[in-house]
Amino acid sequence: MAAAAAPGALGSLRAGRARLAAACCVRWRLGPGARLPGSWRGPRVAPAVWARGWACAAGGSAPRRGYGSDVRPEDELRVRHLDAENRGIVVLGINRAYAKNSFSKNLIKMLSKAVDALKSDKKVRTIIVRSEVPGVFCAANLPVPTIAAIDGLALGGGLELALACDIRVAASSAKMGLVETKLAIIPGGGGTQRLPRAIGVSLAKELIFSARVLDGQEAKAVGLISHVLEQNPEGDAAYRKALDLAREFLPQGPIAMRVAKLAINQGMEVDLVTGLAIEEACYAQTIPTKDRLEGLLAFKEKRSPRYKGE
């Protein structure tokens, strides 16, 4: 943890606050992102700290303690690097069926480890986040495009994970919503910040205040997802659409894709003039690359480019 690594008194203070936050999770049933009781300026409860004391069921039930001892921790997150024509696509499959894919300390640790590894892997072009538990999606700042495939329930933290992805696709039968106010807490994994950016402030407030759950068609109507599909007998319609999208991304220049994502994300947080300056700086990073020259040569020779991410 960063607190443990910080030197001197500041590091000790941060470490102490982290331990206090973990203890308060159990004592006062705090949700992720909450502040310590009696303080509006105290340390927030990080999701990883919150998970140590409580795991909230994706179906919206009350917080509960602990995890089953019969589940192998290494199976909670499955990382698959696809091959053949799908080479460059990575699938992160969440697999905690007994807990409806609710977050655990181990799952958060595995997700963090996977994200760190994928950030530095230049062979990775697109990442799909999906559930490997039928009927449930639960739940990242990654430099490559990320797609959330929602084939079932995405409530609370599950939707927050989907909101952290660049693109969201869902089956019409999927259910999604930020339902934390039903538990007398608020979304603490980025929901109060990302949902307004996705669908607008007024509608985001309405959905959070009401804890309303939307199906795929309703989510598409408000702009929460990009594509809605009729569910298939296999129960993976959203995943198949996500895979189709990922295949569309594969032929493009990998450096350009990463820089385009950076320009969009950074530009959305500033005014237009500053955003245009960010775009100019990002564009300049693509000019000296070998991929740009390969793109021009391939266009001239009327062939498909062979990009190497250089």
Side-chain angles (χ1 to χ4, degrees):
M1 292 179 58
L10 180 59
S12 299
L13 177 60
R14 288 176 177 171
R17 284 181 172 178
R19 289 191 295 269
L20 176 60
C24 288
C25 286
V26 177
R27 174 63 179 85
W28 285 285
R29 302 192 178 193
L30 297 179
R35 295 188 187 278
L36 297 183
S39 173
W40 291 101
R41 301 183 64 184
R44 290 190 180 278
V45 180
V49 174
W50 170 78
R52 294 173 191 170
W54 296 98
C56 185
S61 60
R64 59 186 179 81
R65 273 183 168 174
Y67 332 109
S69 59
D70 57 341
V71 175
R72 298 198 313 172
E74 62 269 23
D75 289 336
E76 291 188 353
L77 180 69
R78 296 174 180 171
V79 181
R80 291 191 295 129
H81 293 253
L82 305 188
D83 53 19
E85 71 274 13
N86 297 322
R87 188 177 302 277
I89 301 173
V90 176
V91 179
L92 297 181
I94 301 173
N95 183 48
R96 299 189 74 230
Y98 76 99
K100 296 185 179 180
N101 277 359
S102 61
F103 287 114
S104 67
K105 177 182 178 181
N106 179 67
L107 179 57
I108 292 173
K109 180 179 179 180
M110 293 184 72
L111 278 168
S112 297
K113 184 177 180 180
V115 166
D116 287 342
L118 294 172
K119 279 182 180 179
S120 58
D121 190 343
K122 293 184 178 180
K123 295 180 181 179
V124 175
R125 306 288 285 276
T126 301
I127 296 168
I128 297 175
V129 182
R130 68 172 303 204
S131 169
E132 298 199 359
V133 179
V136 179
F137 174 94
C138 189
N141 293 322
L142 285 157
V144 297
T146 55
I147 307 171
I150 307 172
D151 275 306
L153 296 176
L155 305 178
L159 181 54
E160 288 180 305
L161 177 59
L163 284 167
C165 294
D166 300 311
I167 300 167
R168 290 167 293 281
V169 300
S172 57
S173 58
K175 302 293 183 182
M176 60 202 83
L178 297 178
V179 298
E180 285 84 351
T181 53
K182 284 188 176 181
L183 302 175
I185 58 175
I186 70 169
T192 63
Q193 303 305 304
R194 292 192 175 100
L195 187 61
R197 285 167 168 79
I199 66 174
V201 174
S202 181
L203 186 53
K205 287 180 178 178
E206 180 180 332
L207 295 182
I208 292 174
F209 294 166
S210 65
R212 188 180 305 158
V213 176
L214 307 178
D215 62 26
Q217 295 289 353
E218 293 169 327
K220 177 67 167 64
V222 301
L224 179 55
I225 61 176
S226 301
H227 302 274
V228 59
L229 304 309
E230 289 299 320
Q231 188 57 282
N232 57 30
E234 294 77 18
D236 64 351
Y239 170 67
R240 294 190 183 192
K241 179 61 178 179
L243 196 56
D244 288 341
L245 290 173
R247 290 182 182 129
E248 285 190 60
F249 302 162
L250 281 179
Q252 321 313 329
I255 294 177
M257 295 288 281
R258 290 173 177 245
V259 174
K261 176 172 177 173
L262 177 64
I264 294 170
N265 287 352
Q266 295 294 322
M268 287 299 294
E269 304 299 323
V270 298
D271 60 87
L272 179 59
V273 173
T274 306
L276 291 172
I278 291 172
E279 178 187 81
E280 183 178 0
C282 289
Y283 176 79
Q285 294 183 38
T286 67
I287 298 302
T289 64
K290 295 180 180 178
D291 279 355
R292 184 184 73 90
L293 298 178
E294 166 61 16
L296 292 173
L297 184 61
F299 179 78
K300 179 181 179 180
E301 297 176 352
K302 297 182 180 180
R303 60 171 174 81
S304 297
R306 295 182 290 270
Y307 295 124
K308 297 181 179 180
E310 300 176 351

